[in-house]
Amino acid sequence: MKAAILDLLKRTDAPLSGQAISARLGISRVAVWKHICRMREAGLDIQSGPKGYRLVSLADTPLPWIFGGRSARVHHYPELRSTMDKAQELARSGCPDFSVVVTDQQTLGRGRLQRNWQSQSGGLYFTMILRPRLAPSEGPLINLAAALDMAATLRDTFGIEARVKWPNDVLAGEGKIAGILSQMAAEADRVHYICLGIGVNINNSTTGITPPAVSVAELIGRAGSRAVVLSGFWDRFEHRMKTLSPSAVVAEWKAGAITLGRQVKVQILNETIEGQAVDMDDQGGLIVVLPDGTRRTVVYGDCFHVAKDT
Ligand code: BTN
């Protein structure tokens, strides 16, 4: 019921009377009031006045009912080893497209290239399970799209100048603010599911993280809401996936990324190459020109921007 009330409040900027809510949901006005009290206790800022209730801001903790009509697809845990493991279990057991596993902290958070992802409380850690109709070769485009949408969410929500770095890091200045790890289950010509794991530094400490990281709270000087970030990202990303255009993702990435034109060091599984990042191919691979003029296309790896004279 809380999810249904929240959905109604989210749909309007004008106050909504207790009478209107009770009529829409078929519950008494007293029941409406009790649910509103519990929602406030959970941290939602809901103002009440003579004309009714108005939602001012969401809470921080991404509890399922905060996501209104999406609540049945949200699996929130106070602590997990990694949201990736739980998401794999759910994906294998047939959960719907756009299910989300979210936790307040991870004890064994994973990053790309077998690194760990520091996951203390305060950060946003989630994995979204996707069932896109795509060829496996198009999988990397999903990560690029997710990075673009997370950067846009951070810009719109907090005014942070977030930009993307190949392959799918989100940076604010030179500090990493969000990272993406995805795992795909596929046959030769068809993706079964993708577990898209995203970690965002919101109110967690970033001390000692290398390469340098930065959080929303450090940038804006106050706490940010994890629920608002997840909800904003979800709106954008679900809409994008419904109308996915690989060429549009690549064009948007090229226009907004900070990697192109930069001198880069790219760590691939068994090798590190250095050169100038000059372009992206149609499937999201980074094209790097090496010092001897050879062009290499890198499809998987980690990229560091280096100063031109080093
Ligand atoms: C990276 O930049 O190396 C990717 C980091 C991905 C971290 C997220 S946090 C949620 C999900 N669960 C994990 O264990 N990892 C991803």
Side-chain angles (χ1 to χ4, degrees), residues 20-280:
I21 298 174
S22 79
R24 291 287 291 279
L25 300 179
I27 57 172
S28 69
R29 286 174 61 177
V30 174
V32 171
W33 176 74
K34 281 186 180 159
H35 284 300
I36 297 268
C37 289
R38 287 205 202 100
M39 290 158 81
R40 284 181 176 142
E41 279 158 24
L44 270 82
D45 188 355
I46 300 172
Q47 279 180 356
S48 54
K51 291 189 178 159
Y53 301 107
R54 195 173 71 84
L55 178 66
V56 179
S57 66
L58 282 181
D60 170 50
T61 307
L63 297 171
W65 59 266
I66 300 252
F67 297 89
R70 292 169 169 154
S71 60
R73 285 179 285 154
V74 179
H75 305 262
H76 171 265
Y77 298 86
E79 182 180 292
L80 282 177
R81 275 160 60 96
S82 164
T83 56
M84 299 307 279
D85 301 336
K86 190 56 84 180
Q88 289 278 356
E89 277 173 32
L90 284 174
R92 282 196 283 262
S93 65
C95 69
D97 199 9
F98 289 99
S99 294
V100 168
V101 177
V102 58
T103 189
D104 298 332
Q105 54 188 338
Q106 301 183 115
T107 51
L108 221 63
R110 301 202 291 271
R112 277 184 293 114
L113 298 170
Q114 265 104 62
R115 283 192 296 253
N116 70 339
W117 182 261
Q118 209 166 295
S119 309
Q120 292 130 339
S121 66
L124 172 63
Y125 314 106
F126 70 97
T127 299
M128 193 171 258
I129 299 136
L130 308 167
R131 301 187 183 280
R133 290 166 182 268
L134 285 182
S137 59
E138 292 175 309
L141 293 170
I142 304 291
N143 301 344
L144 297 179
L148 287 168
D149 287 345
M150 183 51 79
T153 302
L154 296 173
R155 286 197 300 272
D156 280 7
T157 312
F158 304 113
I160 289 171
E161 257 319 302
R163 310 265 312 267
V164 290
K165 171 170 94 65
W166 191 87
N168 36 52
D169 289 343
V170 181
L171 264 60
E174 290 294 319
K176 182 156 161 172
I177 195 160
I180 299 180
L181 169 73
S182 73
Q183 293 172 334
M184 176 165 71
E187 283 172 37
D189 59 348
R190 189 171 70 92
V191 169
H192 287 307
Y193 62 81
I194 294 176
C195 290
L196 179 76
I198 306 189
V200 191
N201 298 318
I202 309 256
N203 307 313
N204 53 305
S205 160
T206 58
T207 314
I209 300 182
T210 51
V214 69
S215 70
V216 167
E218 285 156 5
L219 290 168
I220 66 172
R222 62 181 164 82
S225 158
R226 293 171 294 151
V228 167
V229 173
L230 176 51
S231 173
F233 170 79
W234 198 334
D235 288 344
R236 279 174 193 280
F237 189 64
E238 192 162 355
H239 178 259
R240 182 195 289 274
M241 291 298 289
K242 281 192 182 128
T243 54
L244 187 70
S245 152
S247 57
V249 172
V250 171
E252 194 184 331
W253 193 93
K254 285 186 191 179
I258 50 177
T259 304
L260 296 186
R262 297 279 294 256
Q263 196 69 13
V264 292
K265 208 180 253 187
V266 188
Q267 191 185 333
I268 312 165
L269 274 180
N270 298 319
E271 180 190 13
T272 301
I273 62 166
E274 192 165 337
Q276 194 184 17
V278 292
D279 205 356
M280 171 176 272

